[in-house]
Amino acid sequence: MNPKSLVKEQSIEAIKAVFNIDMPAVEIQITKDEFEGDYTIVVYPLVKEVKQKPEDIATKLGEYLVKLNIFTEFTVVKGFLNLSLNSELLIQTIENNYSDKYFGFSKEKRSKIMVEYSSPNTNKPIHLGHIRNNLLGFSISNILKAAGNEVLMSQIINDRGIHICKSMIAWQKFGNKETPETKKTKGDHLVGKYYVLFDKEYQKEIAEMVTTGVDKEEAKKKAPIFVEAQNMLKKWEDGDKEVRELWQKMNSWVYSGFEQTYKNLGVHFDVVQYESNTYLLGKDIIEKGLKNGVLFQKEDGSVWADLSEEGLDQKLLLRSDGTSVYMTQDLGTAVERFTHYKLDQLIYTVGNEQDYHFQVLFLILKKLGYNWASQLYHLSYGMVDLPSGKMKSREGTVVDADDLIQEMINTATEISGELGKLDGYSEEEKKKINQQIGLGALKYYILKVDPKKRILFDPKESIDFNGNTGPFVQYTFARIQSILRKADTHTIEITSYTLNQTEKKLILLLSSFPEIIQKSANTLNPSLIANYVYDVVKIFNYFYQNYSILNVKYESEKQIRLALSQWTGNVIESSLNLLGIDSPERM
């Protein structure tokens, strides 16, 4: 049992003993630096039950608790009871946990959860917005696993439709049979280039038609290149051999490019689905909903869900010609996933511009009678902006993920060179560490912000070796490994020792790691882990700068401080790992 749990348990028993009240929800906090004590009990919630002044309640509880072996003294500040823990109990806490590489991770088996993230289109490369999506999805998957869940990381690739045909038509018209190999470029970049070329040609044709007197809206529908793309989509749906072969070839180029980006970003998937295999799912569900009266059909044959009673509007589910819309597919995919994978929960990592879509999706599934609809969750996140002029994008409008990753590594290389931090390392070692620093900076900067908030991402600021940044956290881990190497910590002998206040604060903060993991998992918020590890790093650095670890008078003091350093290193490494960030042993 960690100290906080013990304090909570003893507090509940004390309230029962002193006031004869069952109070299971007692609020316990780590005592603020300006006050004496280790843990604080918030007494105010008891005032209504006990009908006494908060100071009197706190005093009576304190007098009872200090008679126990685990507390040494107490102070009362208004409605707060501050308790000091017995040093022996805290030393026992170090001894129990310092060598556990998986400290904080739950061994209890909870739920089977699928987390969907990334889910790109195959007509353009992965961009800055996808980066936040991938980092959030991957990190929350790690955190849910650490909290004791079985997690499936999934994506559904949007590999069909008119937008895909646009790239295909443009490649046929302007590509001269070029390939990623002949152009020495990534496949997703090559296909993305033709999507842009299609739009340029399309806009040109619209403008030409307008000059001849055609209405602009009419021109958009009848521009020759657009009509060709529509015809190609029809051929694809009819299974035309040549169109399907071209589609498979160009998509394979894109998948190869995606795989490289995912590898560079350090994310992966357990389940990959393709819209070309799922777009027909959902039609049976719609038919069933029609039969039982949950859905209705209009005169033109289209099928709708009426959500007006829930404060929303009517939602189209099948067009009048019987073709499906995105919502149809999402209904079918959700049912298929729960049926096939026997899920307890499904989490969609998608930007906040899709909030309404998921609100409607979950509501329709609930109306259709699927009990698990209440276990669907939209992990909605804000957009990522860059300060203007900081980076150029390949297409001038969207920041390419590959460009940003390389920019981060280049910036890390430049800064570590200026600071001389990697002097004496081989070129191969420098390259690896700069990659870890650059990617760590990118990931930490994005994940330290609450997912719901919009981010202004500044690449230079994110690689600062001081402050709330990835490199600062990584550097502290490397510093601890250096200390442990010098001490040759094969065996640590922990004996009795009087802890100072900084050591106590560090122990209490490290002890709260299991609670932080569970809270982060419950709220699907990796920023709780990021900001927690920053607090750990700040206290450890204060400790390191003010107290010697290796050059001390007593061996017991050295051993305790080495154990505390090792525990801190393990928690930093685990925290960074949960965020998908590497922990270099040397920096």
Short mmCIF file of all heavy atoms in Angstrom, two decimals, residues 144-198:
data_model
loop_
_atom_site.label_atom_id
_atom_site.label_comp_id
_atom_site.label_asym_id
_atom_site.label_seq_id
_atom_site.Cartn_x
_atom_site.Cartn_y
_atom_site.Cartn_z
N LEU A 144 -3.65 3.41 -21.15
CA LEU A 144 -4.73 2.47 -20.84
C LEU A 144 -4.18 1.08 -20.53
O LEU A 144 -4.68 0.38 -19.64
CB LEU A 144 -5.72 2.40 -22.00
CG LEU A 144 -6.64 3.61 -22.18
CD1 LEU A 144 -7.32 3.58 -23.54
CD2 LEU A 144 -7.68 3.68 -21.06
N LYS A 145 -3.12 0.67 -21.24
CA LYS A 145 -2.47 -0.61 -20.95
C LYS A 145 -1.87 -0.58 -19.56
O LYS A 145 -2.01 -1.54 -18.78
CB LYS A 145 -1.36 -0.89 -21.97
CG LYS A 145 -1.85 -1.34 -23.34
CD LYS A 145 -0.65 -1.57 -24.26
CE LYS A 145 -1.08 -1.75 -25.70
NZ LYS A 145 0.07 -1.82 -26.62
N ALA A 146 -1.16 0.50 -19.24
CA ALA A 146 -0.52 0.62 -17.92
C ALA A 146 -1.55 0.60 -16.79
O ALA A 146 -1.26 0.19 -15.67
CB ALA A 146 0.30 1.91 -17.85
N ALA A 147 -2.78 1.04 -17.11
CA ALA A 147 -3.86 1.06 -16.12
C ALA A 147 -4.54 -0.30 -15.99
O ALA A 147 -5.51 -0.43 -15.24
CB ALA A 147 -4.88 2.14 -16.47
N GLY A 148 -4.05 -1.29 -16.73
CA GLY A 148 -4.55 -2.66 -16.57
C GLY A 148 -5.50 -3.14 -17.64
O GLY A 148 -6.12 -4.20 -17.49
N ASN A 149 -5.62 -2.39 -18.74
CA ASN A 149 -6.55 -2.79 -19.80
C ASN A 149 -5.84 -3.52 -20.93
O ASN A 149 -4.65 -3.31 -21.18
CB ASN A 149 -7.24 -1.54 -20.37
CG ASN A 149 -8.00 -0.77 -19.32
OD1 ASN A 149 -9.04 -1.22 -18.85
ND2 ASN A 149 -7.48 0.38 -18.92
N GLU A 150 -6.59 -4.37 -21.64
CA GLU A 150 -6.11 -4.95 -22.89
C GLU A 150 -6.50 -3.96 -23.99
O GLU A 150 -7.68 -3.60 -24.12
CB GLU A 150 -6.78 -6.30 -23.15
CG GLU A 150 -6.31 -6.96 -24.43
CD GLU A 150 -7.05 -8.25 -24.76
OE1 GLU A 150 -7.79 -8.75 -23.89
OE2 GLU A 150 -6.92 -8.72 -25.92
N VAL A 151 -5.51 -3.53 -24.78
CA VAL A 151 -5.77 -2.46 -25.76
C VAL A 151 -5.42 -2.91 -27.17
O VAL A 151 -4.37 -3.50 -27.41
CB VAL A 151 -4.96 -1.18 -25.40
CG1 VAL A 151 -5.20 -0.09 -26.43
CG2 VAL A 151 -5.34 -0.68 -24.01
N LEU A 152 -6.34 -2.63 -28.11
CA LEU A 152 -6.08 -2.84 -29.53
C LEU A 152 -5.96 -1.47 -30.19
O LEU A 152 -6.90 -0.67 -30.14
CB LEU A 152 -7.24 -3.62 -30.17
CG LEU A 152 -7.40 -5.08 -29.81
CD1 LEU A 152 -8.71 -5.62 -30.36
CD2 LEU A 152 -6.23 -5.90 -30.34
N MET A 153 -4.81 -1.19 -30.79
CA MET A 153 -4.60 0.07 -31.50
C MET A 153 -5.00 -0.13 -32.95
O MET A 153 -4.47 -1.02 -33.62
CB MET A 153 -3.14 0.51 -31.39
CG MET A 153 -2.73 0.83 -29.96
SD MET A 153 -1.03 1.38 -29.80
CE MET A 153 -0.18 -0.17 -29.70
N SER A 154 -5.94 0.67 -33.42
CA SER A 154 -6.48 0.43 -34.76
C SER A 154 -6.53 1.70 -35.60
O SER A 154 -6.50 2.82 -35.07
CB SER A 154 -7.89 -0.16 -34.66
OG SER A 154 -8.83 0.86 -34.37
N GLN A 155 -6.58 1.51 -36.91
CA GLN A 155 -6.87 2.61 -37.82
C GLN A 155 -7.71 2.08 -38.97
O GLN A 155 -7.63 0.90 -39.33
CB GLN A 155 -5.59 3.26 -38.35
CG GLN A 155 -4.74 2.39 -39.24
CD GLN A 155 -3.71 3.20 -40.01
OE1 GLN A 155 -3.92 4.37 -40.34
NE2 GLN A 155 -2.57 2.59 -40.29
N ILE A 156 -8.55 2.96 -39.51
CA ILE A 156 -9.29 2.61 -40.73
C ILE A 156 -8.85 3.59 -41.81
O ILE A 156 -8.94 4.81 -41.62
CB ILE A 156 -10.82 2.64 -40.49
CG1 ILE A 156 -11.57 2.24 -41.77
CG2 ILE A 156 -11.31 3.95 -39.94
CD1 ILE A 156 -13.02 1.84 -41.56
N ILE A 157 -8.30 3.06 -42.88
CA ILE A 157 -7.72 3.90 -43.93
C ILE A 157 -8.77 4.21 -44.99
O ILE A 157 -9.41 3.31 -45.53
CB ILE A 157 -6.48 3.22 -44.56
CG1 ILE A 157 -5.40 3.04 -43.49
CG2 ILE A 157 -5.95 4.04 -45.73
CD1 ILE A 157 -4.16 2.32 -43.97
N ASN A 158 -8.93 5.49 -45.26
CA ASN A 158 -9.89 5.95 -46.25
C ASN A 158 -9.27 5.80 -47.64
O ASN A 158 -8.63 6.70 -48.16
CB ASN A 158 -10.25 7.42 -45.95
CG ASN A 158 -11.42 7.90 -46.75
OD1 ASN A 158 -11.89 7.23 -47.66
ND2 ASN A 158 -11.89 9.09 -46.43
N ASP A 159 -9.46 4.61 -48.23
CA ASP A 159 -8.71 4.25 -49.45
C ASP A 159 -9.58 4.23 -50.70
O ASP A 159 -9.17 3.71 -51.74
CB ASP A 159 -8.05 2.88 -49.26
CG ASP A 159 -9.08 1.75 -49.13
OD1 ASP A 159 -10.24 2.05 -48.75
OD2 ASP A 159 -8.73 0.59 -49.40
N ARG A 160 -10.82 4.75 -50.61
CA ARG A 160 -11.70 4.72 -51.78
C ARG A 160 -12.50 6.02 -51.84
O ARG A 160 -12.52 6.79 -50.89
CB ARG A 160 -12.67 3.54 -51.70
CG ARG A 160 -13.59 3.64 -50.52
CD ARG A 160 -14.78 2.72 -50.58
NE ARG A 160 -15.76 3.15 -51.56
CZ ARG A 160 -16.69 4.09 -51.34
NH1 ARG A 160 -16.74 4.73 -50.20
NH2 ARG A 160 -17.55 4.39 -52.30
N GLY A 161 -13.15 6.24 -52.99
CA GLY A 161 -13.99 7.42 -53.11
C GLY A 161 -13.49 8.37 -54.18
O GLY A 161 -12.42 8.17 -54.77
N ILE A 162 -14.23 9.44 -54.41
CA ILE A 162 -13.92 10.38 -55.48
C ILE A 162 -12.56 11.04 -55.28
O ILE A 162 -11.82 11.28 -56.24
CB ILE A 162 -15.04 11.46 -55.60
CG1 ILE A 162 -14.85 12.33 -56.85
CG2 ILE A 162 -15.12 12.31 -54.34
CD1 ILE A 162 -15.12 11.63 -58.15
N HIS A 163 -12.20 11.32 -54.02
CA HIS A 163 -10.91 11.99 -53.76
C HIS A 163 -9.73 11.12 -54.17
O HIS A 163 -8.71 11.62 -54.64
CB HIS A 163 -10.80 12.41 -52.29
CG HIS A 163 -11.07 11.31 -51.32
ND1 HIS A 163 -12.29 10.69 -51.22
CD2 HIS A 163 -10.27 10.71 -50.41
CE1 HIS A 163 -12.23 9.76 -50.29
NE2 HIS A 163 -11.01 9.75 -49.78
N ILE A 164 -9.87 9.80 -53.99
CA ILE A 164 -8.79 8.89 -54.41
C ILE A 164 -8.70 8.87 -55.95
O ILE A 164 -7.61 8.88 -56.52
CB ILE A 164 -9.05 7.45 -53.87
CG1 ILE A 164 -9.33 7.48 -52.36
CG2 ILE A 164 -7.88 6.53 -54.20
CD1 ILE A 164 -8.24 8.01 -51.49
N CYS A 165 -9.86 8.86 -56.58
CA CYS A 165 -9.88 8.83 -58.05
C CYS A 165 -9.26 10.10 -58.65
O CYS A 165 -8.72 10.07 -59.76
CB CYS A 165 -11.31 8.66 -58.56
SG CYS A 165 -12.00 7.03 -58.17
N LYS A 166 -9.34 11.20 -57.92
CA LYS A 166 -8.75 12.46 -58.42
C LYS A 166 -7.24 12.30 -58.60
O LYS A 166 -6.68 12.71 -59.63
CB LYS A 166 -9.05 13.60 -57.45
CG LYS A 166 -10.50 14.06 -57.48
CD LYS A 166 -10.76 15.12 -56.41
CE LYS A 166 -12.23 15.57 -56.44
NZ LYS A 166 -12.51 16.58 -55.41
N SER A 167 -6.56 11.71 -57.63
CA SER A 167 -5.11 11.49 -57.75
C SER A 167 -4.81 10.53 -58.90
O SER A 167 -3.85 10.71 -59.65
CB SER A 167 -4.54 10.90 -56.45
OG SER A 167 -4.67 11.81 -55.39
N MET A 168 -5.66 9.50 -59.05
CA MET A 168 -5.45 8.50 -60.09
C MET A 168 -5.59 9.11 -61.49
O MET A 168 -4.74 8.88 -62.37
CB MET A 168 -6.43 7.33 -59.90
CG MET A 168 -6.16 6.51 -58.65
SD MET A 168 -7.57 5.47 -58.15
CE MET A 168 -7.72 4.36 -59.55
N ILE A 169 -6.64 9.91 -61.69
CA ILE A 169 -6.86 10.55 -62.99
C ILE A 169 -5.70 11.50 -63.32
O ILE A 169 -5.17 11.51 -64.45
CB ILE A 169 -8.20 11.35 -62.98
CG1 ILE A 169 -9.38 10.39 -63.12
CG2 ILE A 169 -8.24 12.40 -64.10
CD1 ILE A 169 -9.54 9.76 -64.50
N ALA A 170 -5.27 12.29 -62.34
CA ALA A 170 -4.18 13.24 -62.57
C ALA A 170 -2.88 12.51 -62.92
O ALA A 170 -2.12 12.95 -63.78
CB ALA A 170 -3.98 14.13 -61.34
N TRP A 171 -2.61 11.38 -62.25
CA TRP A 171 -1.39 10.61 -62.56
C TRP A 171 -1.47 10.05 -63.98
O TRP A 171 -0.49 10.07 -64.72
CB TRP A 171 -1.23 9.47 -61.55
CG TRP A 171 0.04 8.68 -61.77
CD1 TRP A 171 1.29 9.00 -61.33
CD2 TRP A 171 0.17 7.44 -62.50
NE1 TRP A 171 2.20 8.04 -61.71
CE2 TRP A 171 1.54 7.08 -62.44
CE3 TRP A 171 -0.71 6.62 -63.18
CZ2 TRP A 171 2.04 5.92 -63.05
CZ3 TRP A 171 -0.24 5.47 -63.78
CH2 TRP A 171 1.13 5.13 -63.72
N GLN A 172 -2.63 9.57 -64.37
CA GLN A 172 -2.81 9.06 -65.73
C GLN A 172 -2.55 10.16 -66.78
O GLN A 172 -1.92 9.93 -67.81
CB GLN A 172 -4.24 8.52 -65.92
CG GLN A 172 -4.45 7.11 -65.41
CD GLN A 172 -5.84 6.59 -65.75
OE1 GLN A 172 -6.79 7.36 -65.87
NE2 GLN A 172 -5.95 5.27 -65.90
N LYS A 173 -3.04 11.37 -66.48
CA LYS A 173 -2.96 12.46 -67.46
C LYS A 173 -1.58 13.12 -67.50
O LYS A 173 -1.09 13.49 -68.57
CB LYS A 173 -4.02 13.54 -67.15
CG LYS A 173 -5.45 13.07 -67.33
CD LYS A 173 -6.44 14.12 -66.89
CE LYS A 173 -6.88 15.04 -68.01
NZ LYS A 173 -7.57 14.37 -69.11
N PHE A 174 -0.97 13.29 -66.31
CA PHE A 174 0.25 14.11 -66.25
C PHE A 174 1.49 13.36 -65.74
O PHE A 174 2.56 13.93 -65.65
CB PHE A 174 0.03 15.33 -65.33
CG PHE A 174 -1.26 16.05 -65.58
CD1 PHE A 174 -2.26 16.12 -64.60
CD2 PHE A 174 -1.50 16.67 -66.80
CE1 PHE A 174 -3.45 16.79 -64.83
CE2 PHE A 174 -2.69 17.36 -67.04
CZ PHE A 174 -3.67 17.41 -66.06
N GLY A 175 1.32 12.08 -65.38
CA GLY A 175 2.39 11.40 -64.66
C GLY A 175 3.51 10.81 -65.47
O GLY A 175 4.59 10.52 -64.94
N ASN A 176 3.29 10.61 -66.78
CA ASN A 176 4.33 9.98 -67.61
C ASN A 176 4.87 8.69 -66.99
O ASN A 176 6.07 8.40 -67.04
CB ASN A 176 5.50 10.94 -67.88
CG ASN A 176 5.04 12.14 -68.70
OD1 ASN A 176 4.30 12.00 -69.67
ND2 ASN A 176 5.46 13.33 -68.27
N LYS A 177 3.97 7.94 -66.32
CA LYS A 177 4.29 6.64 -65.71
C LYS A 177 5.39 6.71 -64.64
O LYS A 177 6.05 5.72 -64.36
CB LYS A 177 4.68 5.63 -66.79
CG LYS A 177 3.56 5.35 -67.78
CD LYS A 177 3.92 4.26 -68.75
CE LYS A 177 2.74 3.97 -69.68
NZ LYS A 177 3.05 2.95 -70.69
N GLU A 178 5.57 7.90 -64.04
CA GLU A 178 6.60 8.00 -63.00
C GLU A 178 6.18 7.24 -61.74
O GLU A 178 4.98 7.07 -61.46
CB GLU A 178 6.91 9.45 -62.67
CG GLU A 178 5.82 10.22 -61.94
CD GLU A 178 6.24 11.64 -61.62
OE1 GLU A 178 7.27 12.12 -62.17
OE2 GLU A 178 5.56 12.28 -60.81
N THR A 179 7.16 6.77 -60.98
CA THR A 179 6.93 5.99 -59.76
C THR A 179 7.78 6.58 -58.63
O THR A 179 8.67 7.40 -58.89
CB THR A 179 7.35 4.52 -59.97
OG1 THR A 179 8.78 4.47 -60.13
CG2 THR A 179 6.66 3.90 -61.17
N PRO A 180 7.54 6.15 -57.39
CA PRO A 180 8.39 6.63 -56.29
C PRO A 180 9.87 6.30 -56.54
O PRO A 180 10.75 7.07 -56.17
CB PRO A 180 7.85 5.88 -55.07
CG PRO A 180 6.43 5.60 -55.40
CD PRO A 180 6.40 5.36 -56.88
N GLU A 181 10.12 5.15 -57.19
CA GLU A 181 11.51 4.74 -57.45
C GLU A 181 12.15 5.67 -58.49
O GLU A 181 13.28 6.14 -58.29
CB GLU A 181 11.56 3.29 -57.96
CG GLU A 181 11.24 2.23 -56.91
CD GLU A 181 9.76 2.16 -56.56
OE1 GLU A 181 8.92 2.49 -57.44
OE2 GLU A 181 9.46 1.81 -55.40
N THR A 182 11.43 5.95 -59.60
CA THR A 182 12.02 6.78 -60.66
C THR A 182 12.19 8.23 -60.19
O THR A 182 13.09 8.93 -60.61
CB THR A 182 11.16 6.76 -61.93
OG1 THR A 182 9.86 7.29 -61.65
CG2 THR A 182 11.04 5.36 -62.49
N LYS A 183 11.30 8.67 -59.27
CA LYS A 183 11.38 10.06 -58.78
C LYS A 183 12.18 10.17 -57.48
O LYS A 183 12.41 11.26 -56.98
CB LYS A 183 9.98 10.61 -58.54
CG LYS A 183 9.17 10.84 -59.80
CD LYS A 183 9.80 11.85 -60.75
CE LYS A 183 9.71 13.27 -60.21
NZ LYS A 183 10.26 14.24 -61.17
N LYS A 184 12.59 8.98 -56.94
CA LYS A 184 13.32 8.95 -55.66
C LYS A 184 12.60 9.78 -54.58
O LYS A 184 13.18 10.65 -53.94
CB LYS A 184 14.76 9.44 -55.84
CG LYS A 184 15.59 8.50 -56.72
CD LYS A 184 17.03 8.95 -56.81
CE LYS A 184 17.91 7.91 -57.47
NZ LYS A 184 17.41 7.39 -58.76
N THR A 185 11.33 9.47 -54.42
CA THR A 185 10.51 10.18 -53.43
C THR A 185 9.58 9.20 -52.73
O THR A 185 9.35 8.10 -53.24
CB THR A 185 9.68 11.30 -54.10
OG1 THR A 185 9.05 12.08 -53.10
CG2 THR A 185 8.59 10.74 -55.01
N LYS A 186 9.07 9.58 -51.57
CA LYS A 186 8.12 8.72 -50.84
C LYS A 186 6.81 8.63 -51.63
O LYS A 186 6.36 9.61 -52.24
CB LYS A 186 7.83 9.30 -49.46
CG LYS A 186 8.94 9.04 -48.44
CD LYS A 186 8.62 9.69 -47.11
CE LYS A 186 7.67 8.83 -46.30
NZ LYS A 186 6.46 9.47 -45.86
N GLY A 187 6.19 7.44 -51.59
CA GLY A 187 4.99 7.21 -52.38
C GLY A 187 3.83 8.11 -52.02
O GLY A 187 3.07 8.54 -52.89
N ASP A 188 3.66 8.40 -50.71
CA ASP A 188 2.55 9.26 -50.31
C ASP A 188 2.74 10.69 -50.81
O ASP A 188 1.78 11.38 -51.15
CB ASP A 188 2.34 9.23 -48.79
CG ASP A 188 3.61 9.51 -48.00
OD1 ASP A 188 4.72 9.26 -48.52
OD2 ASP A 188 3.50 9.97 -46.85
N HIS A 189 4.00 11.12 -50.89
CA HIS A 189 4.28 12.46 -51.43
C HIS A 189 3.99 12.51 -52.92
O HIS A 189 3.45 13.50 -53.42
CB HIS A 189 5.73 12.85 -51.17
CG HIS A 189 6.05 13.04 -49.72
ND1 HIS A 189 7.33 12.96 -49.20
CD2 HIS A 189 5.24 13.28 -48.66
CE1 HIS A 189 7.29 13.16 -47.89
NE2 HIS A 189 6.03 13.35 -47.54
N LEU A 190 4.35 11.44 -53.63
CA LEU A 190 4.11 11.40 -55.07
C LEU A 190 2.61 11.45 -55.38
O LEU A 190 2.16 12.25 -56.20
CB LEU A 190 4.72 10.14 -55.68
CG LEU A 190 4.63 10.04 -57.21
CD1 LEU A 190 5.59 11.02 -57.86
CD2 LEU A 190 4.92 8.62 -57.69
N VAL A 191 1.83 10.62 -54.70
CA VAL A 191 0.39 10.58 -54.93
C VAL A 191 -0.25 11.91 -54.50
O VAL A 191 -1.15 12.44 -55.17
CB VAL A 191 -0.27 9.39 -54.20
CG1 VAL A 191 -1.79 9.45 -54.30
CG2 VAL A 191 0.25 8.07 -54.78
N GLY A 192 0.23 12.47 -53.41
CA GLY A 192 -0.27 13.77 -52.94
C GLY A 192 -0.03 14.87 -53.96
O GLY A 192 -0.86 15.78 -54.13
N LYS A 193 1.09 14.78 -54.65
CA LYS A 193 1.41 15.78 -55.70
C LYS A 193 0.34 15.77 -56.78
O LYS A 193 -0.08 16.83 -57.26
CB LYS A 193 2.79 15.47 -56.30
CG LYS A 193 3.21 16.44 -57.39
CD LYS A 193 4.58 16.09 -57.98
CE LYS A 193 4.47 15.08 -59.08
NZ LYS A 193 5.74 14.90 -59.83
N TYR A 194 -0.14 14.58 -57.14
CA TYR A 194 -1.14 14.49 -58.22
C TYR A 194 -2.52 14.91 -57.75
O TYR A 194 -3.34 15.39 -58.54
CB TYR A 194 -1.14 13.08 -58.83
CG TYR A 194 0.08 12.92 -59.70
CD1 TYR A 194 1.21 12.23 -59.25
CD2 TYR A 194 0.15 13.55 -60.94
CE1 TYR A 194 2.35 12.15 -60.02
CE2 TYR A 194 1.28 13.49 -61.72
CZ TYR A 194 2.38 12.79 -61.25
OH TYR A 194 3.52 12.74 -62.01
N TYR A 195 -2.78 14.80 -56.46
CA TYR A 195 -4.04 15.32 -55.92
C TYR A 195 -4.07 16.85 -56.06
O TYR A 195 -5.08 17.44 -56.44
CB TYR A 195 -4.19 14.91 -54.45
CG TYR A 195 -5.52 15.29 -53.84
CD1 TYR A 195 -6.69 14.68 -54.24
CD2 TYR A 195 -5.59 16.27 -52.85
CE1 TYR A 195 -7.92 15.03 -53.67
CE2 TYR A 195 -6.80 16.62 -52.28
CZ TYR A 195 -7.96 16.00 -52.70
OH TYR A 195 -9.17 16.35 -52.14
N VAL A 196 -2.93 17.47 -55.78
CA VAL A 196 -2.80 18.93 -55.93
C VAL A 196 -2.90 19.32 -57.41
O VAL A 196 -3.57 20.30 -57.77
CB VAL A 196 -1.47 19.43 -55.33
CG1 VAL A 196 -1.26 20.91 -55.61
CG2 VAL A 196 -1.44 19.17 -53.82
N LEU A 197 -2.24 18.52 -58.28
CA LEU A 197 -2.29 18.80 -59.73
C LEU A 197 -3.72 18.69 -60.26
O LEU A 197 -4.13 19.49 -61.11
CB LEU A 197 -1.40 17.80 -60.49
CG LEU A 197 0.07 18.17 -60.64
CD1 LEU A 197 0.83 17.04 -61.33
CD2 LEU A 197 0.23 19.46 -61.43
N PHE A 198 -4.47 17.72 -59.76
CA PHE A 198 -5.87 17.58 -60.17
C PHE A 198 -6.62 18.87 -59.86
O PHE A 198 -7.36 19.39 -60.71
CB PHE A 198 -6.54 16.40 -59.45
CG PHE A 198 -8.02 16.28 -59.76
CD1 PHE A 198 -8.46 15.46 -60.78
CD2 PHE A 198 -8.96 17.01 -59.04
CE1 PHE A 198 -9.82 15.37 -61.10
CE2 PHE A 198 -10.31 16.94 -59.34
CZ PHE A 198 -10.74 16.12 -60.37
#
